[in-house]
Amino acid sequence: MQDAVRVEQLSKSYGRLLAADNINLSVTSGTVFGLLGANGAGKSTIIECILGTKKADGGKISVLGMNPLTDRKKLFEKVGVQFQETNYQDQITVAELCEVTASLYRDPADPNDLLARFGIAHKLKSLVRDLSGGQRQRLFIVLALIPGPKVVFLDELTTGLDAKVRREVWKILSGLKEKGLTIFLTSHFMDEVKALCDQICILKKGKIAFLGTISEAVKASPCHSFEDAYLWYTDEEGQTDENF
Amino acid sequence: MKTFKTMLKTELKLSLRGLDMFIFAICLPLVVLVILGILYGDRPAYEGADHTFLEQSFGALAAISICAGGVMGLPLVVSDYRGKGILKRYQVTPVDPSMILLVQVTIYTLYAVVSLLLLYFAAVLFFGCQFHGTLPVFFGGYLLMVVSMFSIGMMVGGVAPNTKAAGVMASILYFPMLIFSGATLPYEVMPASLQKIADILPLTHGIKLLKAASLGSSADDMLIPLIIMSVIALFCISISLKCFKWE
């Protein structure tokens, strides 16, 4: 099967800080890929380099076989992105933000359908800033799905959602995956990663500490659970102990 | 085109919801017109003049909304949209982020044109003013004024590191120009010393240009303002093209 995302020897540094050090990874079409790591491990840098909003110092990147810097217009017809920050106009309503977003694409999905599926259709007339954290988070997933994408990038997808809504979001995303959507996500919740991801990449200080499936991650570590294995790979456990 | 229309409609609604441009670009020029109209009525500009004082001020009043949009509105919205990451969000869509800048320029041009029309009809209907110049010359001058004032705004919005800095820079440019360039307080009633200070401000020359065009003065009166405004436009456009930051 074709790779939806391919990253070869990506490196990026800010001054002397090496935020991404020789990163190689690929995401098979129709799978869910999780990029994990502590804050500052380089997740956002890698996503931004893949998307072309940051220029890599070196390496080769292709998404759907295209170069995100030179084929921007064509590529982003088929790629949806949800950023961590909340970037919308101060006085804009849900309906307006959806309408404008849909107008950017040649063949967009119907925003109203998506809003209904994510349970926020009744919020159409509200200002985006008046939504609760969870509603806003769901709205941003909706925006990322409006292009009718082949690949979607979700940065900290369910932060701020309650347990019930998170499960609903997972269900919808799993359904979209069944239909062939490739999902590239970052998350801090190991239950979420376990529920969704086919492949994971654990980062530590800009380097890949582990790349493979969840069961491989557990097997290759001295731990029995995935959460312990994750902490073992990122060394967070040791650090927490020292703090005590 | 679909994108542009949808964005224009939405951004226009957002701008009107903010109210400040409605007040500073639409209401303020009309208020100044009414005050000057009540103060000066149909008195001639000076003894023996063939035009009234109010007719002489028309070009200045028309400049108020250009200045408000170009020097205050535009830099604030550009730096705000960059600070919020809205420009960056457009980088991961098929649409170029410059589209939203084009939409904003269109909106502030609309404010300026609406203000011009309202001023014209109010001046003619309520204060019996007449237009003495030639329309193509006036519109040429008006267009140059819009381009040069908006280029100042683009430059400020483009180089300011954050919204706060943009606000400070815009205020430093906007308020002195609003008061001392003859837009509100007529240039002709200023003492000579104040006129000298006014001559430093770019807007003063834009207003001289519009005045000359609306009064049908000789081409010589327009030459120096024309050169100054063109130089400002060229300078600011090249700086903003070179230094513009998307995030």
Side-chain angles (χ1 to χ4, degrees), chain B residues 145-206:
Chain B
M145 177 94 161
V146 168
V147 170
S148 61
M149 283 295 133
F150 283 20
S151 71
I152 294 177
M154 273 294 176
M155 181 182 75
V156 172
V159 302
N162 54 47
T163 316
K164 215 169 170 184
V168 172
M169 286 158 86
S171 302
I172 289 173
L173 286 167
Y174 174 69
F175 288 105
M177 283 212 266
L178 184 70
I179 298 164
F180 297 114
S181 66
T184 46
L185 182 68
Y187 184 81
E188 291 76 13
V189 303
M190 290 181 194
S193 54
L194 200 58
Q195 284 185 349
K196 272 191 196 127
I197 298 173
D199 283 336
I200 304 169
L201 302 168
L203 190 67
T204 312
H205 299 282

Side-chain angles (χ1 to χ4, degrees), chain A residues 8 16 102 158 177 183 189 203:
Chain A
E8 286 166 61
R16 289 169 65 189
T158 62
K177 183 187 111 176
I183 301 173
F189 300 105
L203 291 172

Side-chain angles (χ1 to χ4, degrees), chain B:
Chain B
M1 207 54 212
K2 172 191 74 171
T3 309
F4 182 79
K5 260 162 67 184
T6 313
M7 269 173 135
L8 181 64
K9 189 183 80 186
T10 308
E11 292 295 327
L12 198 57
K13 271 197 263 178
L14 293 177
S15 174
L16 288 170
R17 243 171 248 164
L19 267 185
D20 38 351
M21 270 301 127
F22 179 73
I23 294 167
F24 285 105
I26 304 289
C27 299
L28 181 66
L30 284 174
V31 169
V32 179
L33 173 81
V34 171
I35 293 172
L36 291 182
I38 291 168
L39 284 177
Y40 293 97
D42 52 6
R43 254 185 280 167
Y46 46 89
E47 228 159 290
D50 56 0
H51 54 264
T52 66
F53 189 87
L54 199 56
E55 284 165 355
Q56 176 182 272
S57 297
F58 183 77
L61 299 175
I64 295 178
S65 71
I66 304 179
C67 182
V71 183
M72 201 67 176
L74 204 52
L76 290 186
V77 82
V78 168
S79 67
D80 182 42
Y81 281 12
R82 182 180 48 230
K84 288 206 172 88
I86 293 171
L87 299 181
K88 181 174 145 186
R89 180 155 59 81
Y90 282 108
Q91 284 187 305
V92 293
T93 71
V95 168
D96 204 86
S98 60
M99 175 79 92
I100 198 159
L101 301 184
L102 183 68
V103 167
Q104 292 298 340
V105 166
T106 311
I107 287 174
Y108 290 110
T109 311
L110 281 176
Y111 275 120
V113 171
V114 168
S115 165
L116 176 68
L117 292 175
L118 286 175
L119 281 173
Y120 179 75
F121 287 115
V124 170
L125 292 176
F126 301 120
F127 301 106
C129 288
Q130 277 179 327
F131 183 76
H132 297 275
T134 47
L135 276 179
V137 177
F138 182 80
F139 283 121
Y142 192 81
L143 188 68
L144 179 62
M145 177 94 161
V146 168
V147 170
S148 61
M149 283 295 133
F150 283 20
S151 71
I152 294 177
M154 273 294 176
M155 181 182 75
V156 172
V159 302
N162 54 47
T163 316
K164 215 169 170 184
V168 172
M169 286 158 86
S171 302
I172 289 173
L173 286 167
Y174 174 69
F175 288 105
M177 283 212 266
L178 184 70
I179 298 164
F180 297 114
S181 66
T184 46
L185 182 68
Y187 184 81
E188 291 76 13
V189 303
M190 290 181 194
S193 54
L194 200 58
Q195 284 185 349
K196 272 191 196 127
I197 298 173
D199 283 336
I200 304 169
L201 302 168
L203 190 67
T204 312
H205 299 282
I207 288 173
K208 281 184 180 171
L209 187 65
L210 285 190
K211 266 184 188 166
S214 65
L215 296 173
S217 317
S218 71
D220 294 353
D221 290 348
M222 291 186 222
L223 191 62
I224 291 171
L226 203 64
I227 293 169
I228 292 177
M229 295 311 276
S230 308
V231 169
I232 290 171
L234 282 176
F235 176 77
C236 296
I237 289 171
S238 41
I239 298 264
S240 21
L241 285 178
K242 226 175 156 173
C243 306
F244 198 89
K245 294 186 294 247
W246 293 109
E247 62 166 309

Side-chain angles (χ1 to χ4, degrees), chain A residues 21-194:
Chain A
D21 186 5
N22 193 23
I23 302 292
N24 292 286
L25 56 89
S26 60
V27 182
T28 312
S29 284
T31 64
V32 180
F33 185 89
L35 190 60
L36 317 178
N39 290 325
K43 297 188 300 279
S44 295
T45 300
I46 292 176
I47 287 205
E48 291 214 29
C49 286
I50 295 175
L51 295 173
T53 50
K54 281 208 168 82
K55 210 174 170 307
D57 299 336
K60 230 179 104 188
I61 286 157
S62 83
V63 181
L64 297 172
M66 289 179 258
N67 178 331
L69 287 172
T70 53
D71 304 323
R72 203 180 68 86
K73 274 184 193 181
K74 205 172 149 216
L75 175 62
F76 284 108
E77 284 285 350
K78 287 291 152 216
V79 173
V81 181
Q82 173 233 326
F83 279 125
Q84 245 179 72
E85 312 102 86
T86 45
N87 25 33
Y88 54 89
Q89 291 88 328
D90 215 20
Q91 300 274 339
I92 202 162
T93 65
V94 172
E96 286 163 351
L97 187 55
C98 287
E99 190 192 357
V100 170
T101 305
S103 80
L104 306 175
Y105 301 96
R106 240 177 288 149
D107 188 19
D110 183 359
N112 293 323
D113 278 357
L114 287 167
L115 290 170
R117 280 168 74 185
F118 282 86
I120 43 172
H122 60 293
K123 288 286 170 188
L124 265 179
K125 289 196 173 124
S126 309
L127 290 178
V128 176
R129 61 156 188 219
D130 289 343
L131 298 180
S132 73
Q135 289 167 339
R136 199 154 45 219
Q137 192 74 8
R138 278 180 276 168
L139 172 63
F140 291 136
I141 301 174
V142 166
L143 294 180
L145 294 174
I146 282 179
K150 285 197 171 123
V151 185
V152 68
F153 289 83
L154 305 168
D155 203 358
E156 304 214 351
L157 135 96
T158 62
T159 304
L161 297 185
D162 64 44
K164 187 165 165 267
V165 178
R166 279 175 66 207
R167 302 234 155 164
E168 280 165 24
V169 169
W170 297 351
K171 223 168 111 190
I172 298 171
L173 292 177
S174 301
L176 290 167
K177 183 187 111 176
E178 296 305 313
K179 288 185 191 151
L181 178 70
T182 309
I183 301 173
F184 191 113
L185 59 85
T186 73
S187 175
H188 283 300
F189 300 105
M190 292 309 131
D191 54 344
E192 176 166 296
V193 173
K194 256 164 104 175

